[in-house]
PDB file of all heavy atoms in Angstrom:
ATOM      1  N   PRO P 100      -2.649   7.158   9.257  1.00 94.00           N
ATOM      2  CA  PRO P 100      -1.990   6.874   7.938  1.00 94.00           C
ATOM      3  C   PRO P 100      -0.512   6.908   8.115  1.00 94.00           C
ATOM      4  O   PRO P 100       0.080   7.452   8.966  1.00 94.00           O
ATOM      5  CB  PRO P 100      -2.523   8.016   7.026  1.00 94.00           C
ATOM      6  CG  PRO P 100      -2.873   9.114   7.966  1.00 94.00           C
ATOM      7  CD  PRO P 100      -3.264   8.489   9.288  1.00 94.00           C
ATOM      8  N   ILE P 101       0.164   6.301   7.086  1.00 93.00           N
ATOM      9  CA  ILE P 101       1.628   6.377   6.877  1.00 93.00           C
ATOM     10  C   ILE P 101       1.965   7.182   5.752  1.00 93.00           C
ATOM     11  O   ILE P 101       1.375   7.034   4.626  1.00 93.00           O
ATOM     12  CB  ILE P 101       2.125   4.866   6.523  1.00 93.00           C
ATOM     13  CG1 ILE P 101       1.743   3.902   7.733  1.00 93.00           C
ATOM     14  CG2 ILE P 101       3.609   4.809   6.183  1.00 93.00           C
ATOM     15  CD1 ILE P 101       2.808   3.618   8.705  1.00 93.00           C
ATOM     16  N   GLN P 102       2.928   8.118   5.904  1.00 91.00           N
ATOM     17  CA  GLN P 102       3.236   9.037   4.800  1.00 91.00           C
ATOM     18  C   GLN P 102       3.965   8.413   3.645  1.00 91.00           C
ATOM     19  O   GLN P 102       4.885   7.654   3.822  1.00 91.00           O
ATOM     20  CB  GLN P 102       4.049  10.155   5.358  1.00 91.00           C
ATOM     21  CG  GLN P 102       3.436  11.026   6.379  1.00 91.00           C
ATOM     22  CD  GLN P 102       4.336  11.266   7.562  1.00 91.00           C
ATOM     23  OE1 GLN P 102       5.513  11.464   7.432  1.00 91.00           O
ATOM     24  NE2 GLN P 102       3.740  11.278   8.753  1.00 91.00           N
ATOM     25  N   GLN P 103       3.454   8.697   2.373  1.00 90.00           N
ATOM     26  CA  GLN P 103       3.982   8.058   1.191  1.00 90.00           C
ATOM     27  C   GLN P 103       5.473   8.435   1.014  1.00 90.00           C
ATOM     28  O   GLN P 103       6.300   7.661   0.603  1.00 90.00           O
ATOM     29  CB  GLN P 103       3.198   8.429  -0.034  1.00 90.00           C
ATOM     30  CG  GLN P 103       3.747   7.892  -1.336  1.00 90.00           C
ATOM     31  CD  GLN P 103       3.643   6.421  -1.425  1.00 90.00           C
ATOM     32  OE1 GLN P 103       2.615   5.838  -1.003  1.00 90.00           O
ATOM     33  NE2 GLN P 103       4.723   5.761  -1.892  1.00 90.00           N
ATOM     34  N   THR P 104       5.810   9.694   1.376  1.00 90.00           N
ATOM     35  CA  THR P 104       7.188  10.170   1.137  1.00 90.00           C
ATOM     36  C   THR P 104       8.170   9.255   1.865  1.00 90.00           C
ATOM     37  O   THR P 104       9.230   8.885   1.449  1.00 90.00           O
ATOM     38  CB  THR P 104       7.373  11.601   1.547  1.00 90.00           C
ATOM     39  OG1 THR P 104       6.432  12.344   0.944  1.00 90.00           O
ATOM     40  CG2 THR P 104       8.744  12.135   1.221  1.00 90.00           C
ATOM     41  N   VAL P 105       7.765   8.827   3.118  1.00 92.00           N
ATOM     42  CA  VAL P 105       8.651   7.906   3.869  1.00 92.00           C
ATOM     43  C   VAL P 105       8.601   6.522   3.328  1.00 92.00           C
ATOM     44  O   VAL P 105       9.586   5.829   3.171  1.00 92.00           O
ATOM     45  CB  VAL P 105       8.222   7.910   5.355  1.00 92.00           C
ATOM     46  CG1 VAL P 105       9.050   7.001   6.153  1.00 92.00           C
ATOM     47  CG2 VAL P 105       8.409   9.402   5.868  1.00 92.00           C
ATOM     48  N   LEU P 106       7.425   6.068   2.872  1.00 92.00           N
ATOM     49  CA  LEU P 106       7.261   4.770   2.292  1.00 92.00           C
ATOM     50  C   LEU P 106       8.047   4.592   1.071  1.00 92.00           C
ATOM     51  O   LEU P 106       8.586   3.492   0.712  1.00 92.00           O
ATOM     52  CB  LEU P 106       5.760   4.514   1.970  1.00 92.00           C
ATOM     53  CG  LEU P 106       4.989   3.556   2.906  1.00 92.00           C
ATOM     54  CD1 LEU P 106       3.581   3.611   2.443  1.00 92.00           C
ATOM     55  CD2 LEU P 106       5.529   2.233   2.967  1.00 92.00           C
ATOM     56  N   ASP P 107       8.213   5.713   0.275  1.00 90.00           N
ATOM     57  CA  ASP P 107       8.997   5.650  -0.930  1.00 90.00           C
ATOM     58  C   ASP P 107      10.461   5.181  -0.612  1.00 90.00           C
ATOM     59  O   ASP P 107      11.132   4.656  -1.540  1.00 90.00           O
ATOM     60  CB  ASP P 107       9.111   7.051  -1.572  1.00 90.00           C
ATOM     61  CG  ASP P 107       7.851   7.394  -2.309  1.00 90.00           C
ATOM     62  OD1 ASP P 107       7.129   6.496  -2.793  1.00 90.00           O
ATOM     63  OD2 ASP P 107       7.590   8.579  -2.507  1.00 90.00           O
ATOM     64  N   THR P 108      10.946   5.325   0.616  1.00 91.00           N
ATOM     65  CA  THR P 108      12.320   4.930   0.932  1.00 91.00           C
ATOM     66  C   THR P 108      12.374   3.434   1.450  1.00 91.00           C
ATOM     67  O   THR P 108      13.486   2.917   1.680  1.00 91.00           O
ATOM     68  CB  THR P 108      12.901   5.850   2.008  1.00 91.00           C
ATOM     69  OG1 THR P 108      12.252   5.596   3.266  1.00 91.00           O
ATOM     70  CG2 THR P 108      12.778   7.307   1.678  1.00 91.00           C
ATOM     71  N   ALA P 109      11.224   2.871   1.678  1.00 93.00           N
ATOM     72  CA  ALA P 109      11.178   1.546   2.344  1.00 93.00           C
ATOM     73  C   ALA P 109      11.816   0.466   1.441  1.00 93.00           C
ATOM     74  O   ALA P 109      11.634   0.509   0.214  1.00 93.00           O
ATOM     75  CB  ALA P 109       9.754   1.172   2.658  1.00 93.00           C
ATOM     76  N   PRO P 110      12.556  -0.480   2.049  1.00 94.00           N
ATOM     77  CA  PRO P 110      12.807  -0.635   3.500  1.00 94.00           C
ATOM     78  C   PRO P 110      13.943   0.365   3.832  1.00 94.00           C
ATOM     79  O   PRO P 110      14.916   0.412   3.179  1.00 94.00           O
ATOM     80  CB  PRO P 110      13.237  -2.061   3.644  1.00 94.00           C
ATOM     81  CG  PRO P 110      13.686  -2.518   2.319  1.00 94.00           C
ATOM     82  CD  PRO P 110      13.042  -1.702   1.246  1.00 94.00           C
ATOM     83  N   SER P 111      13.825   1.049   4.993  1.00 93.00           N
ATOM     84  CA  SER P 111      14.787   1.951   5.397  1.00 93.00           C
ATOM     85  C   SER P 111      14.607   2.314   6.881  1.00 93.00           C
ATOM     86  O   SER P 111      13.578   1.988   7.502  1.00 93.00           O
ATOM     87  CB  SER P 111      14.577   3.356   4.638  1.00 93.00           C
ATOM     88  OG  SER P 111      13.387   3.928   5.088  1.00 93.00           O
ATOM     89  N   ILE P 112      15.606   2.974   7.473  1.00 91.00           N
ATOM     90  CA  ILE P 112      15.532   3.381   8.881  1.00 91.00           C
ATOM     91  C   ILE P 112      14.359   4.371   8.982  1.00 91.00           C
ATOM     92  O   ILE P 112      13.601   4.348   9.985  1.00 91.00           O
ATOM     93  CB  ILE P 112      16.829   3.976   9.364  1.00 91.00           C
ATOM     94  CG1 ILE P 112      17.860   2.819   9.480  1.00 91.00           C
ATOM     95  CG2 ILE P 112      16.641   4.769  10.723  1.00 91.00           C
ATOM     96  CD1 ILE P 112      19.245   3.358   9.841  1.00 91.00           C
ATOM     97  N   ALA P 113      14.153   5.210   7.976  1.00 92.00           N
ATOM     98  CA  ALA P 113      13.140   6.233   8.115  1.00 92.00           C
ATOM     99  C   ALA P 113      11.769   5.534   8.199  1.00 92.00           C
ATOM    100  O   ALA P 113      10.890   5.991   9.006  1.00 92.00           O
ATOM    101  CB  ALA P 113      13.157   7.147   6.838  1.00 92.00           C
ATOM    102  N   TYR P 114      11.505   4.537   7.362  1.00 94.00           N
ATOM    103  CA  TYR P 114      10.252   3.827   7.446  1.00 94.00           C
ATOM    104  C   TYR P 114      10.091   3.025   8.712  1.00 94.00           C
ATOM    105  O   TYR P 114       9.019   3.000   9.309  1.00 94.00           O
ATOM    106  CB  TYR P 114      10.088   2.883   6.138  1.00 94.00           C
ATOM    107  CG  TYR P 114       8.741   2.135   6.204  1.00 94.00           C
ATOM    108  CD1 TYR P 114       7.550   2.749   6.427  1.00 94.00           C
ATOM    109  CD2 TYR P 114       8.764   0.735   6.029  1.00 94.00           C
ATOM    110  CE1 TYR P 114       6.418   1.984   6.476  1.00 94.00           C
ATOM    111  CE2 TYR P 114       7.593  -0.042   6.040  1.00 94.00           C
ATOM    112  CZ  TYR P 114       6.402   0.586   6.302  1.00 94.00           C
ATOM    113  OH  TYR P 114       5.295  -0.142   6.389  1.00 94.00           O
ATOM    114  N   ARG P 115      11.171   2.374   9.120  1.00 94.00           N
ATOM    115  CA  ARG P 115      11.128   1.669  10.385  1.00 94.00           C
ATOM    116  C   ARG P 115      10.662   2.552  11.522  1.00 94.00           C
ATOM    117  O   ARG P 115       9.900   2.197  12.354  1.00 94.00           O
ATOM    118  CB  ARG P 115      12.520   1.102  10.662  1.00 94.00           C
ATOM    119  CG  ARG P 115      12.650   0.293  11.987  1.00 94.00           C
ATOM    120  CD  ARG P 115      14.097  -0.006  12.278  1.00 94.00           C
ATOM    121  NE  ARG P 115      14.316  -0.695  13.432  1.00 94.00           N
ATOM    122  CZ  ARG P 115      14.226  -2.043  13.656  1.00 94.00           C
ATOM    123  NH1 ARG P 115      14.010  -2.729  12.636  1.00 94.00           N
ATOM    124  NH2 ARG P 115      14.513  -2.546  14.788  1.00 94.00           N
ATOM    125  N   HIS P 116      11.256   3.738  11.579  1.00 94.00           N
ATOM    126  CA  HIS P 116      10.908   4.652  12.630  1.00 94.00           C
ATOM    127  C   HIS P 116       9.484   5.141  12.599  1.00 94.00           C
ATOM    128  O   HIS P 116       8.769   5.168  13.557  1.00 94.00           O
ATOM    129  CB  HIS P 116      11.855   5.868  12.590  1.00 94.00           C
ATOM    130  CG  HIS P 116      11.848   6.793  13.781  1.00 94.00           C
ATOM    131  ND1 HIS P 116      12.324   6.403  14.992  1.00 94.00           N
ATOM    132  CD2 HIS P 116      11.190   7.971  13.999  1.00 94.00           C
ATOM    133  CE1 HIS P 116      12.109   7.352  15.921  1.00 94.00           C
ATOM    134  NE2 HIS P 116      11.403   8.272  15.274  1.00 94.00           N
TER     135      HIS P 116
END
Side-chain angles (χ1 to χ4, degrees):
I101 300 265
Q102 296 133 37
Q103 179 65 43
T104 306
V105 177
L106 257 175
D107 281 336
T108 71
S111 69
I112 287 176
Y114 177 50
R115 176 190 179 87
H116 190 75

